Amino acid sequence: MGRSASSIPGQAAALRPPAPGRAVPLLGAAPRRAQSSARPPPAQLRLAAAVPPLRPPSWRAQRRGMEAAGAGAPPPGAAAPGAETPPGAETPPGAAAAPPRRLLALLGARLCTWHILKTVILGQMLSLFICGTAVTSQYLAEQYQVNTPMFQSFINYSLLLLVYTTMLAFRTGSDSLWQILKQRWWKYIFLGLADVEANYMIVKAYQYTTLTSVQLLDCFGIPVLMALSWFILRARYRLIHFLAVAVCLLGVGTMVGADILAGRQDSEGSDVVIGDVLVLLGASLYAISNVSEEYIVKNLSRVEFLGMVGLFGTIISGLQLAIVEHREIMRIQWNWKIALLFTVFALCMFGLYSFMPVVIKVTSATSVNLGILTADLYSLFFGLFLFFYKFSGLYILSFVIIMVGFILYCSTPTRTAEPSALPQLGSTGLDNAALKLEENDSETPAITVQFTRGETVVVSTD
C-alpha cells in the first residue's frame, strides 16, 4: 500500500524545484546539519554505548567495599598491592614501611591466638608438675640420702589405681573394667611395663652419668616420638615443625652450656656408658608410652588409659620394688619432713599423670614433650634458693629459645594421612548400584509365579 506525499513532509520539500538564483543544496544536507547539532556523530555514539553512564554505588556495593577494607583488601578503585607506581606519581611517606608492618601484623595474628596461648599455659603447668617431682626427689637424695625412685613411682601408680581403676570398676557395658581386660589386657601390660621402666631408667641414670648427658640424651625421645607418630598415628609434619624442633634442641644446648659454665656437670658417675644407655632406653620408652597415650586418649577415653596404667603399673612397680629396693626402704629414718616430701612428690606425679592426657587431647604428644623441656629451667630456679646453684644469663636465653620453638611448632597444626583404600566391589556408589540392589534382593524372600493350563495362579515364596 503506497503512502501519499503529504504524509512525508521532508520528501515533498525535496521534490519541489529550486528557486532561481539559489544554490541547490545537497539532498539531505540540511537534516544532517540539524542532526549533528542535536546529537554526536556515530563514533561518539558507539563510545557512549560502550561506556555505561556513571551511577552512584548502591548500598550493597558500599557494604562490600567496607568489608573488603576491614579485611585488609584495597577498596574499589584503589591500586592493587602489586601494581607498579607510574614514573610521575609521588610515593606516599608510609608506603615503604607498609610491607614490613603488614608482615608483622600477619605474623602476630598467626601466633597470638587463643589456641596457642592455651597450649603454652597447659604445657608450662605440666613443666611445673615435673619440676615439683624433680625438686622433691633431689631434696630427699641430698638432705636425707633417700634414693627410692621405684618406691616413689609405686605410690603414684597406687593413687591412679585407687581413683581411675575404681571408676572403671563401677562402669557397665562395653567400656567396663571386665570388658577392657577381656579385649585388651595384653596391650596394657606392655604399656604399663614401658611406662614403669622409663621412669626407673631415667632416675637410675643419674647414678652413672652426668647431669649434662642426661639433659642432652633425654631429647632423643623427641625424634623417636615423631617417627612413631608418623607410622602409628599417621601424623604428617611440615617444614616448620622440623625447624621448631631444631630451635627447641638449640635451647636445650644453650641450657647445657649454662650448666657447664656454672659447674653443675661435675657430678661424674661410676660408668658413663651405662648411664648414657639407660637415658637412651628411657627416652625411647617414654616415646612409646606417650604415643600410646595419645592414641588411647583420642580414640578411647582418658579414664581407660589412666585406670589401666594404674592397675598394671602398680603390679609391675610393686614386684620390681620388692626385688631391687626393699633394702633402701628399710634404711629410711622416717620423720614428718620425709613423709611430707614423699607426699608432695606423689601429688605432683599424680597431677602430671592426670593432667597430661587433657593436654595431649588438645595438642599432641610431640607438642607436650617440646613444652616440658622448660621443666629443668624451673628446677634450676628453685635450686637457686634450695641448693645454692650459680645463676647464668644463658638460662634465660635458653628458656626464650625453647618457648620460641614451642610456639612455632604449635602455630601450624599437623596433618593426618588418610589410609588409601582401593575401591572394592561391595562398596556403594553409582557404579555399583546394581550390585547393591542384588544384595538387597537376596535378603528378601523371592516370589515365584507359575501359570497352569487351568488358568490357576500358584504363588510360592522361597
Side-chain angles (χ1 to χ4, degrees):
M1 181 178 177
R3 288 182 295 181
S4 61
S6 61
S7 64
I8 309 177
Q11 190 174 358
L15 293 176
R16 284 197 298 264
R22 189 173 178 182
V24 180
L26 294 175
L27 184 61
R32 286 181 184 176
R33 283 195 296 269
Q35 252 182 358
S36 63
S37 61
R39 53 183 179 177
Q44 297 182 7
L45 285 175
R46 287 194 299 269
L47 183 60
V51 180
L54 297 177
R55 297 179 181 176
S58 61
W59 63 273
R60 293 181 180 176
Q62 294 177 1
R63 183 178 179 182
R64 285 196 296 268
M66 294 173 63
E67 291 177 355
E84 297 181 357
T85 306
E90 295 183 359
T91 305
R101 291 178 182 175
R102 186 173 300 174
L103 181 61
L104 291 176
L106 291 176
L107 187 62
R110 184 76 176 270
L111 298 180
C112 301
T113 61
W114 168 241
H115 174 73
I116 294 180
L117 180 61
K118 179 174 62 176
T119 305
V120 170
I121 294 175
L122 294 176
Q124 297 317 296
M125 291 180 65
L126 294 180
S127 294
L128 289 175
F129 281 127
I130 297 176
C131 171
T133 60
V135 170
T136 51
S137 297
Q138 189 171 1
Y139 203 85
L140 282 170
E142 292 190 3
Q143 298 295 327
Y144 300 101
Q145 287 73 44
V146 175
N147 294 294
T148 56
M150 188 53 61
F151 178 62
Q152 294 167 228
S153 298
F154 175 77
I155 298 175
N156 169 55
Y157 291 123
S158 300
L159 291 177
L160 294 176
L161 173 68
L162 291 176
V163 176
Y164 295 103
T165 311
T166 305
M167 294 173 64
L168 288 178
F170 283 99
R171 284 185 174 182
T172 58
S174 60
D175 56 348
S176 62
L177 178 61
W178 172 247
Q179 293 296 328
I180 293 173
L181 289 175
K182 188 166 65 173
Q183 296 174 6
R184 299 180 287 273
W185 61 272
W186 60 274
K187 298 179 181 179
Y188 286 113
I189 287 180
F190 286 108
L191 176 59
L193 183 63
D195 196 79
V196 170
E197 298 306 325
N199 289 326
Y200 179 75
M201 287 182 181
I202 293 295
V203 176
K204 193 70 176 177
Y206 285 99
Q207 301 179 10
Y208 296 98
T209 187
T210 62
L211 174 65
T212 304
S213 298
V214 173
Q215 289 175 333
L216 281 176
L217 297 177
D218 192 25
C219 299
F220 177 73
I222 294 177
V224 175
L225 180 59
M226 296 179 71
L228 292 176
S229 299
W230 181 281
F231 292 105
I232 298 177
L233 303 178
R234 305 187 66 85
R236 295 296 179 262
Y237 303 99
R238 300 179 181 179
L239 179 60
I240 190 173
H241 296 121
F242 295 104
L243 292 177
V245 172
V247 171
C248 290
L249 296 181
L250 177 62
V252 175
T254 307
M255 179 175 59
V256 170
D259 287 338
I260 294 175
L261 293 178
R264 293 184 62 204
Q265 84 287 356
D266 295 336
S267 57
E268 188 79 23
S270 57
D271 198 331
V272 178
V273 177
I274 294 178
D276 293 344
V277 171
L278 287 176
V279 174
L280 293 177
L281 289 176
S284 302
L285 291 176
Y286 266 133
I288 295 174
S289 176
N290 289 336
V291 169
S292 304
E293 181 177 2
E294 181 176 356
Y295 179 83
I296 295 171
V297 167
K298 292 185 176 180
N299 294 279
L300 299 174
S301 70
R302 165 179 169 266
V303 177
E304 178 176 340
F305 169 78
L306 294 175
M308 291 296 100
V309 169
L311 174 61
F312 292 102
T314 302
I315 296 173
I316 295 171
S317 62
L319 293 176
Q320 192 167 347
L321 170 65
I323 296 173
V324 299
E325 282 190 1
H326 60 280
R327 295 180 181 178
E328 285 78 5
I329 296 175
M330 297 298 295
R331 286 197 292 264
I332 297 177
Q333 299 179 0
W334 291 92
N335 55 43
W336 68 272
K337 294 181 180 179
I338 295 178
L340 180 62
L341 289 172
F342 271 105
T343 303
V344 173
F345 175 89
L347 291 178
C348 289
M349 186 67 79
F350 180 77
L352 174 66
Y353 270 75
S354 301
F355 197 58
M356 183 175 283
V358 179
V359 186
I360 287 180
K361 191 170 185 179
V362 174
T363 57
S364 65
T366 307
S367 176
V368 168
N369 278 266
L370 291 176
I372 62 179
L373 290 177
T374 57
D376 292 334
L377 296 170
Y378 292 134
S379 302
L380 166 74
F381 295 148
F382 279 98
L384 294 175
F385 303 99
L386 295 177
F387 310 111
F388 306 103
Y389 290 154
K390 295 180 181 179
F391 180 76
S392 174
L394 290 177
Y395 289 118
I396 303 297
L397 179 61
S398 64
F399 179 81
V400 173
I401 293 175
I402 292 174
M403 292 306 300
V404 168
F406 179 57
I407 293 174
L408 283 178
Y409 186 91
C410 298
S411 63
T412 304
T414 58
R415 296 182 297 107
T416 302
E418 297 294 336
S420 57
L422 295 176
Q424 302 177 359
L425 294 178
S427 61
T428 59
L430 294 178
D431 296 336
N432 298 320
L435 295 176
K436 192 64 179 177
L437 290 176
E438 291 179 1
E439 292 176 1
N440 295 335
D441 291 341
S442 63
E443 298 175 358
T444 59
I447 299 176
T448 306
V449 180
Q450 297 178 355
F451 294 94
T452 60
R453 291 183 178 180
E455 297 181 356
T456 305
V457 179
V458 179
V459 180
S460 62
T461 60
D462 297 333

